[in-house]
Amino acid sequence: MNQSIIVLIVDDEGATRQILVKHIPWQQLGVEQVYSAENGMEGLKLARELKPHIIISDIKMPHMNGIEMAKAIRKEQPDNCFVFLSAYADKEYLKTAIQIKATNFIEKPIDLEDITKLMTELIQEIKIRVFKMETNLLEEQLMTKVTLNEEDFVKLVLEAKPSFASNLNYYIAAFKLHVAMPSNEYLAYQEILTYNFPKESCIKSMDRVGILFLIVKGGEKWSQFKEKIQSVVSQMVEINKEGLIFISIINQSVRLSDLQEACEFVREGINRCFFEKENQVYVVQAAQPAYEVEHELFDTFEHELKEGREHELMMLLHTLYNQFEHSNGTSINYVKNVYFKLIFYVLQEVESRMLSSKLERREIIHRLNQSETLYRTAGVVKETLRKFFEMVQRAPTEVDDPFYKMHQYLEEHYQEIEFSIKDMANYFNFTQCYLCVMYKKKTGITINQALTQLRIDKAKELLKNPKLKLYDIAYKVGYADGKYFTKVFSKVTGITPKQFRERHWAYEDEI
């Protein structure tokens, strides 16, 4: 790979920037250029100048937060990998980050081993993607110019392959390869294509989003062409059973003058492979109508989850899957967002019952991000639900569970201005140090972070009442100083209490 990987680190804390720049083994990972910025505005400026492959950014920063910066960068550079850092598990921020396709989340204080492992995975994926882009450059130019008019397009084909004639018919297939193997082994796939389709009988070219087009002279029946394509897929799967291959073809041969339109048609078909069975040839047809989920589905899912009704939840997921499976005109981003929302309901319930750790949450979000088919996407949610109910069954009863009692203690005492961890430790007959270490190990956050999040959550509910003054709300959730309450609320949510209240009532008016 000729192009070196560029990493940009954006964080308003100098210590965090220094740790990431100096203590991640970037050179060993194959990264030669690492830059840093101290706020979102500076990060946006550098991103536009450098076009980094990976951006590691804090979420909450002055002038422009990480989410705002990422949205601006995404409009211009849709392929960057974003990794967000955050000291708080704020649901609104995470939901927004999911919508802009964040690659992963790292909670502060950062764990160098965890982030090094994540960087290793991301860099490997980037190397594979860039490797695909750099193969067969001459023929790549052919397909990146499909926006030419018909005359110029045909001329370009004839110049690239003089043996191609306008009076012949051609078959077209498009491949998108999700390869779980080192990039040098990717060549094995190319060899299979070359063996089955010699160069003199076809054009093979890859566009800039990794779709490989195969244009073959129509010297055989279409059914034979389809069988040969399926045989190629089987050979590829045999080499690497973890690989995922999307293939779309047109159900007839086309003339040279129709190649441009046909290439665009099979390109559209690649996206619809998300809804099809894995590693199967998809014959492109007109898209089915899009499916839009009723809001009642989310309410039902949340209710059944809180009630612990596993069978009903699985039936709901089964129905949802069937609806999407027969609606391949639906945007893949929309499908992903629906499943992300369901995942967040599960993760919130896991947290409220203190059943899981932050590492599990990051892993689930990452897997859902990387799911390339409807089947795999729905499978992540199903598996998460099963694990949730397994944890519920293994968990101690509320009477015996000390962490449930600690949660209840916080619920009962969060309004106290002089709340004391020492008093809490004495209540449970623990030393203060042991209580803090045990709580952090079990929940992934400190007691103070849990208390702050609880107070802010309670404040959000109170802010929905327009009759309550801000200083009254501050006092009701344990803050004697209204200005300090506003500062903490803004730090956790990214907006002031006043802005939260205004947005809530604006949303209510829209409904």
Side-chain angles (χ1 to χ4, degrees):
M1 187 180 75
N2 297 323
Q3 184 181 9
S4 60
I5 293 177
I6 300 174
V7 174
L8 174 61
I9 298 166
V10 187
D11 198 304
D12 60 325
E13 296 179 3
T16 301
R17 295 198 305 273
Q18 289 298 314
I19 289 173
L20 293 174
V21 171
K22 293 185 177 180
H23 296 285
I24 302 294
W26 295 113
Q27 287 192 341
Q28 295 179 27
L29 297 176
V31 177
E32 297 181 1
Q33 302 180 64
V34 181
Y35 299 86
S36 63
E38 62 182 21
N39 59 59
M41 292 294 291
E42 185 181 338
L44 176 59
K45 181 180 178 182
L46 277 176
R48 286 171 170 166
E49 177 184 337
L50 301 170
K51 295 181 172 52
H53 298 87
I54 299 174
I55 300 175
I56 305 173
S57 174
D58 192 14
I59 287 185
K60 297 169 187 174
M61 296 180 291
H63 307 304
M64 173 183 278
N65 66 41
I67 300 294
E68 294 168 336
M69 178 192 71
K71 285 182 177 179
I73 294 173
R74 269 281 184 256
K75 293 179 181 178
E76 304 168 11
Q77 303 171 36
D79 296 326
N80 315 70
C81 295
F82 277 97
V83 176
F84 285 114
L85 308 174
S86 178
Y88 301 88
D90 186 87
K91 307 299 185 302
E92 297 305 318
Y93 274 115
L94 293 182
K95 289 177 183 177
T96 306
I98 287 297
Q99 292 172 359
I100 58 175
K101 298 182 181 178
T103 304
N104 217 313
F105 311 94
I106 300 291
E107 289 187 8
K108 292 183 178 180
I110 58 177
D111 185 311
L112 286 175
E113 184 177 345
D114 283 352
I115 199 167
T116 300
K117 180 180 178 182
L118 174 60
M119 289 300 107
T120 302
E121 295 172 355
L122 291 181
I123 290 166
Q124 183 62 35
E125 292 174 7
I126 292 169
K127 286 181 177 179
I128 291 173
R129 185 170 73 238
V130 175
F131 178 83
K132 294 177 184 178
M133 304 284 286
E134 293 180 348
T135 59
N136 211 344
L137 292 179
L138 176 62
E139 292 183 349
E140 178 183 317
Q141 291 176 357
L142 171 66
M143 291 313 304
T144 55
K145 295 182 180 179
V146 293
T147 55
L148 294 172
N149 61 45
E150 180 179 305
E151 180 180 351
D152 289 341
F153 178 80
V154 173
K155 182 180 178 182
L156 190 61
V157 173
L158 293 174
E159 288 175 351
K161 295 285 182 179
S163 61
F164 275 41
S166 58
N167 63 339
L168 296 179
N169 288 343
Y170 299 92
Y171 296 124
I172 302 177
F175 293 75
K176 188 174 183 181
L177 312 176
H178 299 275
V179 188
M181 63 167 66
S183 58
N184 60 335
E185 294 184 29
Y186 172 75
L187 292 173
Y189 281 6
Q190 292 278 20
E191 292 174 0
I192 290 173
L193 278 173
T194 301
Y195 177 79
N196 286 274
F197 298 99
K199 287 187 176 181
E200 62 271 10
S201 66
C202 72
I203 294 176
K204 294 190 293 291
S205 57
M206 185 174 291
D207 71 6
R208 298 196 180 277
V209 294
I211 297 178
L212 180 71
F213 290 86
L214 182 68
I215 304 173
V216 182
K217 291 180 183 179
E220 56 192 8
K221 293 182 178 179
W222 178 81
S223 58
Q224 293 173 319
F225 172 71
K226 180 183 177 184
E227 288 177 6
K228 186 178 286 189
I229 292 292
Q230 186 62 64
S231 174
V232 165
V233 173
S234 300
Q235 293 172 54
M236 290 179 172
V237 172
E238 189 63 31
I239 286 179
N240 178 25
K241 298 186 185 302
E242 297 300 318
L244 182 61
I245 309 166
F246 293 164
I247 318 94
S248 70
I249 63 176
I250 298 179
N251 63 352
Q252 61 185 7
S253 61
V254 297
R255 290 285 186 174
L256 192 65
S257 58
D258 296 324
L259 279 183
Q260 182 177 6
E261 182 180 356
C263 285
E264 292 297 339
F265 197 48
V266 293
R267 188 198 297 270
E268 293 174 9
I270 284 293
N271 288 330
R272 293 180 210 149
C273 288
F274 175 86
F275 300 89
E276 302 296 320
K277 293 181 180 179
E278 297 183 4
N279 300 329
Q280 296 293 317
V281 177
Y282 169 59
V283 181
V284 187
Q285 300 173 354
Q288 298 161 329
Y291 173 67
E292 185 172 347
V293 175
E294 298 288 340
H295 192 272
E296 288 75 9
L297 179 140
F298 299 113
D299 293 337
T300 301
F301 187 90
E302 185 177 20
H303 175 74
E304 301 291 7
L305 186 65
K306 291 184 179 297
E307 294 296 320
R309 296 171 179 159
E310 182 176 6
H311 177 73
E312 285 78 1
L313 287 167
M314 290 300 180
M315 289 300 297
L316 186 150
L317 289 179
H318 178 72
T319 301
L320 179 64
Y321 178 87
N322 285 339
Q323 291 282 7
F324 279 137
E325 187 180 28
H326 297 94
S327 308
N328 65 12
T330 310
S331 160
I332 296 175
N333 285 337
Y334 178 81
V335 175
K336 284 288 189 84
N337 284 336
V338 169
Y339 282 109
F340 270 123
K341 191 167 183 178
L342 299 181
I343 276 288
F344 272 109
Y345 283 129
V346 179
L347 295 180
Q348 283 179 293
E349 191 65 18
V350 166
E351 289 180 2
S352 70
R353 301 191 188 205
M354 295 184 174
L355 296 173
S356 186
S357 69
K358 62 176 183 179
L359 291 176
E360 290 172 321
R361 180 172 69 251
R362 291 210 307 267
E363 179 185 355
I364 292 168
I365 292 172
H366 179 71
R367 286 183 57 209
L368 203 57
N369 254 323
Q370 299 302 313
S371 297
E372 297 291 348
T373 64
L374 174 63
Y375 179 80
R376 294 192 181 196
T377 303
V380 174
V381 182
K382 286 184 179 180
E383 183 181 342
T384 303
L385 263 180
R386 290 193 186 98
K387 288 184 177 180
F388 167 74
F389 283 107
E390 287 174 2
M391 288 187 290
V392 169
Q393 291 176 358
R394 291 198 304 266
T397 62
E398 293 182 353
V399 175
D400 300 325
D401 186 359
F403 289 97
Y404 174 79
K405 293 180 179 179
M406 290 176 194
H407 181 71
Q408 289 298 104
Y409 183 93
L410 293 177
E411 285 276 358
E412 294 169 3
H413 296 270
Y414 75 90
Q415 294 177 301
E416 298 175 3
I417 303 296
E418 301 297 330
F419 179 91
S420 167
I421 295 179
K422 182 179 180 180
D423 291 341
M424 183 176 177
N426 290 337
Y427 179 85
F428 289 103
N429 294 318
F430 294 142
T431 65
Q432 185 173 339
C433 180
Y434 178 77
L435 175 67
C436 291
V437 170
M438 182 176 65
Y439 191 91
K440 176 69 181 293
K441 184 177 181 180
K442 173 71 175 179
T443 66
I445 59 175
T446 66
I447 294 174
N448 279 329
Q449 287 174 333
L451 177 63
T452 298
Q453 191 62 55
L454 178 61
R455 285 173 166 173
I456 297 305
D457 288 343
K458 298 294 185 182
K460 287 178 179 179
E461 292 302 315
L462 294 174
L463 284 165
K464 295 175 183 178
N465 184 347
K467 296 180 180 179
L468 289 176
K469 303 293 185 183
L470 291 183
Y471 58 80
D472 289 331
I473 293 174
Y475 193 82
K476 286 178 179 291
V477 297
Y479 294 101
D481 185 344
K483 290 184 179 180
Y484 181 68
F485 162 69
T486 298
K487 180 179 179 180
V488 174
F489 190 96
S490 302
K491 178 69 175 176
V492 173
T493 66
I495 57 177
T496 65
K498 182 180 178 181
Q499 289 171 329
F500 177 88
R501 174 174 273 172
E502 290 172 349
R503 290 185 184 183
H504 169 74
W505 286 109
Y507 176 75
E508 289 293 318
D509 289 342
E510 289 177 3
I511 295 177

